[in-house]
Every structure is written in C-alpha cells, then in structure tokens.
Amino acid sequence: MREDLKGKLDESVPEDVTLSDAKKRQILKAAQNRGNGQKPSRVPKVLPALAGVAVIGLGGILGYPYVSDWQEGRGAEGEAELSEPQKLVVPGHDYPVLIESEYDDQSEKLFYNDGSNLYSFDPAAGEELIVASLEEKVSTYQFTVEGNWLVWEENGEEIANLKIMNRDTAEVETIEDVSVIDLHIEDENLVYARFGVEDDKPKYLSIDLNTMESQTVHELTGRGSNSAASVWGDSVVIPEGALDGEKVVSEFHLYDLKENTLIETFTLPYQSAAGVTLIDNRIYAHFSNEGMTDSVLGYVDIETGEFTEIPAPNFFEFAVYGDYLALSVSDEADSSDVQLYRMTGSELKEVPAFSAIEERLVRPRFTDEGTLVVNGEGEDKAMYLLDLGTND
C-alpha cells in the first residue's frame, strides 16, 4: 500500500516542485490507515506553573568514534526489514552533554553543547568541529538544529541573546536582550517562547528564517505547562494549564504558522500533560492527575477532536513517530530501559530492535525524519541511532 501511495505522490507532484523526504513521509503517513488503543501507567512529576516551562527549556544542559555498520535484519513475518541500530561512541565529552545532543538527518551529523561551545560531529569522517565558540563568562544551555539552521541562546552577566546561524553562509543574526526557552525549527521557521521582557507577557513567537520577520503566535496565561510546545509541518501545538471551575485541566492550543491563526483549542481533564508531541494530525501526551495511581498515554485526533488511550506498560518517557512508539519502560528497581513498539489497532506489538544491546538505554527521541536516538549507560556511553523513517 505504501509503495502505491508513494508512486501516486511522485506522479502528482509537478516537476518544478520539490518535496523533501521528510515532507513526503508526512504526506504518506497522513494517508495511511492506522488504529487506536487504550491505557498505561506511571504518573509523571508535575512541575509548578510557569516555572515548569523554564525547566523544560533550561534543564538540558572527540576523538574518533566507533560506528557500527548498518545491517539489515528481518522482523516478524509480514513486517518490513528493519535496520540494526547504529552504534556511535563520542569520547571526550561528559555524559550530560551527549544526553542532550541532537542528530540532524539532513547533514547526518550529531550536534551537542558543553555550555561553552557548540559542536558538530561527522560520524562518517570521524571529525568534530566547533560550530560556535562563546565568549568568556557567556554560557549556553539550549540549542536546536535542522538542515541549514542552528539556533541557540546565550546567557552572561549582562546579556541574554538569541543567536541564529545560517550554516551555509556561517552568518549569524542576533536578537539582543531576550530570555528564551523551548526552541524549535521546522520548514524554515523558528518557534520559541520569550519571557522576562519588561511590560510584555510571556509569549510564543515565530520567525521566518529567510526574512527574519517575526510574529506573535500565542500569549501565555501564567499557569504554565509540564511540557514544551511541539511543531509539525505548518502547525504548532502549545500546551498550558487552565482552570475549569476549581479544577486544573490541560489545554492544547493548535495554530497554523503560515496564516498565524488559531485552528482550535482542545481541553482534556488532566492536570498534567507531559511530552506533548504533534505528528500525523494527532497530539500525543502522557497525562496524569494528582493522586492518580495510573497515568494515561494517549492522543487527540485534531480532525475529529476524539481522545484515544494507548495501552502501555509503566514508563517514564515516550517518543512517537508514525506507528512506532518508544518507551522508557520502568522495572522493579524503579529504573528503566528503552523498548520499541509498533501500534497496531488497539495493541502494542514489541519490536526487538535493541534486544542485542545489554546496557541500559535511556532518553528516547525521534528526529523529524524518523531516526530514533537513545543514549546508552555502558562504560563507553554509546549512543544508538535507528532509522525508522524508511521502514514505514
């Protein structure tokens, strides 16, 4: 079915129009029929109001690698072939640096930040480069990268700047005297939250990276959120806590970035919504209420407004891409290990992608193009990359 869809998509696109691989995957994903599901557990920690947003934004904070060969392995009967995880060892940097790293599929490079410098690492060439070196007494906690663009914030005794680098030209634009969190790049747009500006409310803004024109997307109410925003294509969802009478509920504000208009606000009866992810016309999150024994993993269909629970074991973190769901599944020792599943109808089917890896795996996250990135806690602090974007 996917090959038929792909053929029709290629035929329908005019010759003078170019779609990126990521955009093609998004269109194909939206066209596929997928199922639903029900119920998980483990209540996430609730962050206090607006401080929760700041913690999300600020909380993150070589030598020759060993890169294993990509090998093809066949899954269960009837499933597409699945690549073996690519092992990547980056010596010379502390574990907290690597666990906050980002992999960029377009350049096939790993980016990371030690607070003083931003680095890129080319696994194929075994080369590390300093992409941006900060001045003395200036530090950076957060950054984001996609394709030609690298964005980071700088903090010092007297400065708070947002830096935007065009990696093709090495030109850097600076937005001065602004405290920012929650950086996202998608389709030549930067979306971020700004706060701490005198006589101005905290808000989310977007910048056209080609023209550097900015516009306000959403003003924050002050109740805060337990999750960052999530951008997918031309849309962004901004989560916030809200009051419904005397009860705290979760609101998801969905905006069209091109038109800068509010599409809809979805309200769910949960005090906490963590790990909010917008993808394939669904808003996923890990929901909980104070005093709940079990939490809920689920999604809102943005076309119908319907909410669906997904059955899952106890877990700490999740990441989703298409029908793939990666969970940091908790164990009896209150620890966890990453397991990969495929959502089929109302069931989760485990995919033994990491079964040959003995070390504990943590912090699953997907790139926009479908590469699953996890960190290992073995002696060499290896990272593992699993390409799922070409295995739909």
Side-chain angles (χ1 to χ4, degrees):
M1 175 182 176
R2 179 176 172 80
E3 293 305 316
D4 293 339
L5 287 171
K6 185 177 185 302
K8 292 178 181 178
L9 174 62
D10 290 338
E11 292 173 5
S12 65
V13 177
E15 293 182 359
D16 59 341
V17 176
T18 301
L19 291 179
S20 67
D21 290 341
K23 182 58 68 179
K24 286 183 180 180
R25 290 191 191 110
Q26 289 176 356
I27 295 172
L28 291 171
K29 275 291 182 183
Q32 289 176 328
N33 292 323
R34 297 161 316 163
N36 313 358
Q38 277 177 332
K39 191 179 172 148
S41 22
R42 177 70 74 203
V43 177
K45 296 180 180 178
V46 178
L47 302 178
L50 194 57
V53 179
V55 169
I56 292 162
L58 303 177
I61 96 144
L62 230 121
Y64 291 92
Y66 167 77
V67 183
S68 68
D69 294 332
W70 284 93
Q71 300 176 356
E72 297 296 328
R74 184 171 298 277
E77 184 177 353
E79 291 184 356
E81 290 185 348
L82 195 66
S83 298
E84 291 290 334
Q86 177 187 4
K87 182 178 181 180
L88 174 61
V89 176
V90 186
H93 291 280
D94 294 335
Y95 183 64
V97 172
L98 299 178
I99 205 168
E100 293 297 331
S101 62
E102 290 192 16
Y103 182 74
D104 177 55
D105 285 289
Q106 295 183 40
S107 62
E108 297 184 339
K109 293 180 180 179
L110 187 72
F111 291 79
Y112 41 95
N113 161 30
D114 66 2
S116 298
N117 298 300
L118 285 156
Y119 302 87
S120 71
F121 183 76
D122 184 341
E127 294 179 352
E128 177 187 74
L129 295 175
I130 295 179
V131 183
S133 185
L134 306 183
E135 299 177 4
E136 188 178 357
K137 296 184 178 180
V138 175
S139 61
T140 183
Y141 297 98
Q142 57 184 323
F143 72 96
T144 189
V145 61
E146 182 174 322
N148 296 335
W149 300 101
L150 175 67
V151 179
W152 69 96
E153 48 81 36
E154 291 186 355
N155 290 287
E157 294 178 351
E158 298 180 357
I159 69 165
N161 292 333
L162 179 64
K163 296 282 189 174
I164 302 171
M165 174 186 285
N166 183 323
R167 295 177 52 234
D168 271 348
T169 64
E171 295 179 355
V172 178
E173 296 278 348
T174 301
I175 300 177
E176 298 180 350
D177 298 323
V178 58
S179 296
V180 300
I181 55 175
D182 200 9
L183 309 174
H184 304 267
I185 300 174
E186 179 78 16
D187 290 344
E188 307 293 311
N189 281 305
L190 169 67
V191 178
Y192 66 98
R194 184 183 73 183
F195 66 100
V197 179
E198 188 175 357
D199 299 326
D200 198 4
K201 292 182 178 180
K203 62 181 61 174
Y204 274 86
L205 298 97
S206 68
I207 293 179
D208 184 322
L209 292 171
N210 292 307
T211 65
M212 291 299 156
E213 295 180 357
S214 67
Q215 57 186 359
T216 297
V217 178
H218 178 78
E219 288 191 353
L220 297 167
T221 62
R223 291 204 62 86
S225 169
N226 291 286
S227 175
S230 182
V231 181
W232 179 63
D234 296 327
S235 301
V236 59
V237 61
I238 300 171
E240 279 195 280
L243 279 177
D244 181 8
E246 296 182 355
K247 296 187 299 183
V248 177
V249 295
S250 292
E251 290 186 343
F252 297 144
H253 307 288
L254 181 66
Y255 284 89
D256 183 313
L257 288 172
K258 278 193 172 180
E259 302 296 329
N260 197 30
T261 55
L262 177 66
I263 299 172
E264 193 164 352
T265 295
F266 301 94
T267 302
L268 290 170
Y270 298 100
Q271 295 172 332
S272 171
V276 172
T277 304
L278 173 63
I279 187 170
D280 296 341
N281 293 318
R282 295 175 174 182
I283 304 171
Y284 291 83
H286 188 191
F287 298 95
S288 64
N289 285 325
E290 186 176 353
M292 283 179 62
T293 302
D294 292 340
S295 61
V296 172
L297 178 64
Y299 64 85
V300 178
D301 186 313
I302 64 176
E303 294 182 346
T304 66
E306 295 181 357
F307 178 72
T308 300
E309 294 184 20
I310 300 172
N314 291 348
F315 69 96
F316 291 99
E317 291 183 283
F318 81 94
V320 62
Y321 182 86
D323 291 333
Y324 288 105
L325 178 67
L327 300 176
S328 289
V329 178
S330 58
D331 57 27
E332 295 179 356
D334 205 29
S335 182
S336 66
D337 196 15
V338 173
Q339 294 182 16
L340 181 65
Y341 299 87
R342 196 150 196 180
M343 294 180 282
T344 305
S346 60
E347 298 181 356
L348 292 184
K349 184 174 183 179
E350 186 171 354
V351 180
F354 301 112
S355 58
I357 299 173
E358 296 182 359
E359 65 199 273
R360 178 177 180 247
L361 302 177
V362 297
R363 196 160 184 272
R365 64 263 196 204
F366 280 102
T367 66
D368 289 344
E369 287 77 13
T371 298
L372 175 60
V373 182
V374 298
N375 287 76
E377 294 195 337
E379 186 175 346
D380 56 7
K381 299 296 187 289
M383 299 178 63
Y384 296 90
L385 312 179
L386 181 62
D387 181 8
L388 296 172
T390 57
N391 292 285
D392 305 327

